[in-house]
Amino acid sequence: MIGDKIAYHAAYKPVTDFVINKLKDKLNKRQRICISVGGESGCGKTSLTYALLKDIEATTNLRGFIFHADDYYVLPPRDTHNLRIEDFSRVGTNEVKLNLLEININEFKNGNTDILKPLIVYDENVILEERINSMDFDFCLVEGTYAMLLENSDYKVFMDITYEDTRPVRIQRARDIIGGIAEKVLEIEHEIVKTHKVLADVVIDKNIKIIN
C-alpha cells in the first residue's frame, strides 16, 4: 500500500505487550504465525499493526511483514468509490479479494520464496504487483476492515471503534472522501463489521483498553 505514512504510537504499547505475551511461546519457537487486526475505517488498524510489528521485532529479534487488506480491493480506490455511488449494495466483502489474501498468507506461513501480491498506489489510483520472499521474514501481520474473517490468521485483534468515533481522524487523514456518500458507506460497513467482534481473540475499545 503506497500512499500512507505510518508512525509508531507509544499509546499502543500496553496492547502490543499483551499480544506478545499471549504469543510468546510461538514466537520463541519461531513459528511462522500471522496476526490480524480488524475494525472500521480510521479506527487505528494500520497504526496498531505497525506498533505490533516494531515491538515484536524489538522483543524477539524476528522480522515481520505487513499485508494491507486495502491492497486486495478488486478495483482501485476511486473506481471503487464511483461504483458505490451507483449502487450502495456493492459495499462489503465482495469488494475485496479475501480469497487471494488467504492464499498469500498461507504461502507466507509455508515459507514460499516467490509470493505475488497486489499493491495499491493511492495517488495514481492503480493496482500494481509486488513479489516478496517470505523467507526474508519470520512472521506476518494483516490489517483490514474484514481481517477477522481470515481463517489463516493465528491471532485476531479487533478494534471496537465506530465510524462516528473516528470522524475527526478521518478528516485529518484526508485520504478518504468526507461527506454524505462516504458516511453512508461507513454506516453500511459498520453494520457488517460490528458482527466480527465475536471472532476476535482480543478486543480493543476506543480508549485503547483491552477487553478480554
Side-chain angles (χ1 to χ4, degrees), residues 32-169:
R32 298 184 65 80
I33 63 172
C34 176
I35 303 166
S36 59
V37 180
E40 298 184 30
S41 178
C43 70
K45 298 183 299 293
T46 303
S47 295
L48 174 56
T49 303
Y50 183 72
L52 279 166
L53 173 77
K54 302 307 292 184
D55 287 343
I56 293 174
E57 289 184 337
T59 303
T60 64
N61 290 321
L62 301 176
R63 188 180 180 201
F65 179 83
I66 298 177
F67 288 98
H68 298 282
D70 280 1
D71 284 332
Y72 290 80
Y73 268 77
V74 175
L75 297 172
R78 288 199 291 274
D79 296 347
T80 298
H81 175 76
N82 291 335
L83 285 178
R84 287 169 167 179
I85 294 174
E86 295 177 7
D87 183 3
F88 282 117
S89 69
R90 295 177 184 270
V91 179
T93 57
N94 59 294
E95 297 178 300
V96 186
K97 298 178 182 178
L98 289 176
N99 287 341
L100 177 57
L101 180 52
E102 290 272 32
I103 290 171
N104 285 162
I105 293 171
N106 190 55
E107 290 175 330
F108 184 97
K109 292 171 67 175
N110 287 333
N112 288 32
T113 57
D114 186 22
I115 299 175
L116 183 64
K117 63 172 291 293
L119 177 68
I120 280 184
V121 184
Y122 279 100
D123 291 342
E124 299 178 17
N125 194 47
V126 297
I127 303 176
L128 306 178
E129 291 182 328
E130 68 172 334
R131 294 183 180 275
I132 64 168
N133 178 354
S134 72
M135 295 310 293
D136 290 336
F137 307 93
D138 304 293
F139 66 95
C140 72
L141 306 102
V142 55
E143 60 89 13
T145 304
Y146 308 118
M148 297 298 95
L149 300 177
L150 297 170
E151 296 181 0
N152 283 326
S153 174
D154 299 284
Y155 193 83
K156 300 178 180 181
V157 182
F158 183 81
M159 305 191 74
D160 192 16
I161 305 170
T162 72
Y163 72 102
E164 294 174 334
D165 297 325
T166 62
R167 182 178 175 82
V169 175

Side-chain angles (χ1 to χ4, degrees), residues 171-199:
I171 292 173
Q172 183 179 22
R173 181 170 64 176
R175 190 188 78 193
D176 303 319
I177 301 172
I178 304 296
I181 293 172
E183 295 301 306
K184 178 62 176 178
V185 169
L186 292 171
E187 180 183 350
I188 295 171
E189 288 183 342
H190 167 73
E191 292 301 316
I192 298 171
V193 175
K194 71 180 184 180
T195 66
H196 298 174
K197 181 165 65 172
V198 297
L199 302 174

